[in-house]
Amino acid sequence: MSHDRLMVALLFLLVPCLVLQWSDRPSPAFAGIMARLRHECDPANPDADYYWRQSTMPTERKREAIIEDCRKEGGGLLPEVHREMAREKDPEVRGMLIVIAAALGDGEAVEKASREMAWSEYPAVRISAAKTLRRLRDRRCIDWFVAALQDGHFVVNGACGTLREKFYPVRSIAQTALQEVMGERYPGDSEVQKMSRRLNGGLLYESPEERESLLEALKLKAGISR
């Protein structure tokens, strides 16, 4: 009898553990998405070139395809995205998961994705975030787009010529996004550039309170409201 009781006790312990382990596994669709995402964030992947040059474009296109596939799956994918975000150790993969969460309609992820656009160490994460935030047309992103206009990175053009190409996707996307989200209230390229230079020239990241105060003053001057 003692042996039977021991077996019953073991079953009571093992079965819940197996159920929990099984329920924690990603769905087949999301498992495939994570595999593709990790491949694009792998430095050993020859297409995932992290230099600021035109050869970064293949991984940017593939990441955009991953985000689009997630959008097709819909908001039902968010719990799995949140679970992976909470336990992900790779900062680049986690940055992309934040962007995906924003693309799926997670309001709290919009602010985090904006930070990825402005501060991420990974070029493709910044560009993916900028593209996603532009699609959302969320007025909370206005200040982040203004700040992104002064991003110091550039694309190296290897073609013949004496001038270094200054184009950079995040700056271009940010300017277009500002025009779209502000509409008739857009104060013009030159005024927005002045705002961006002032914003980035101050203690932008030192004090959230000072940053918010400066933003409100600049928007009031330009006649921009949230």
Side-chain angles (χ1 to χ4, degrees):
M1 291 293 292
S2 60
H3 180 267
D4 292 339
R5 289 177 180 176
L6 179 61
M7 292 298 295
V8 170
L10 287 173
L11 284 173
F12 272 108
L13 287 173
L14 288 174
V15 170
C17 290
L18 291 172
V19 170
L20 286 173
Q21 184 178 6
W22 176 259
S23 64
D24 196 40
R25 292 181 179 178
S27 64
F30 192 62
I33 286 170
M34 285 302 301
R36 290 162 61 195
L37 192 59
R38 291 191 187 282
H39 177 68
E40 289 308 315
C41 295
D42 183 0
N45 174 12
D47 286 339
D49 187 342
Y50 296 149
Y51 290 102
W52 300 95
R53 63 189 189 196
Q54 291 166 335
S55 58
T56 60
M57 291 307 292
T59 192
E60 291 159 17
R61 289 196 298 269
K62 291 174 184 177
R63 292 176 197 225
E64 188 69 7
I66 291 171
I67 293 170
E68 183 58 29
D69 285 347
C70 289
R71 292 175 66 202
K72 289 176 182 177
E73 290 289 330
L77 205 62
L78 266 176
E80 295 189 84
V81 175
H82 287 157
R83 184 165 58 245
E84 289 297 327
M85 282 170 56
R87 62 190 180 191
E88 182 57 54
K89 302 299 183 184
D90 187 311
E92 185 173 10
V93 175
R94 190 170 188 278
M96 288 301 303
L97 287 169
I98 289 171
V99 173
I100 288 171
L104 291 175
D106 182 349
E108 292 184 5
V110 171
E111 175 80 9
K112 295 178 182 178
S114 297
R115 293 174 182 269
E116 293 295 329
M117 176 180 68
W119 300 340
S120 176
E121 298 179 7
Y122 305 98
V125 175
R126 289 194 184 208
I127 295 169
S128 296
K131 289 181 176 179
T132 291
L133 294 173
R134 178 193 170 188
R135 278 194 296 265
L136 295 178
R137 297 197 179 189
D138 192 319
R139 297 186 68 81
R140 290 176 296 172
C141 300
I142 287 176
D143 51 343
W144 292 101
F145 284 130
V146 171
L149 294 177
Q150 296 300 308
D151 192 308
H153 296 100
F154 58 88
V155 173
V156 175
N157 189 346
C160 296
T162 58
L163 297 176
R164 184 173 64 181
E165 176 59 62
K166 292 288 189 179
F167 173 77
Y168 176 53
V170 170
R171 290 195 299 272
S172 176
I173 294 167
Q175 184 144 352
T176 303
L178 283 168
Q179 293 171 353
E180 291 173 346
V181 75
M182 291 182 186
E184 294 181 356
R185 284 190 171 274
Y186 184 72
D189 295 348
S190 60
E191 184 64 28
V192 169
Q193 283 292 340
K194 290 178 185 177
M195 293 168 62
S196 183
R197 284 192 292 271
R198 286 191 59 192
L199 185 62
N200 284 275
L203 299 176
L204 178 61
Y205 312 136
E206 299 297 327
S207 167
E209 292 78 15
E210 288 182 19
R211 177 175 179 270
E212 187 64 25
S213 176
L214 175 59
L215 283 167
E216 291 304 320
L218 290 171
K219 289 177 182 178
L220 183 62
K221 179 181 178 181
I224 301 169
S225 61
R226 285 186 183 274

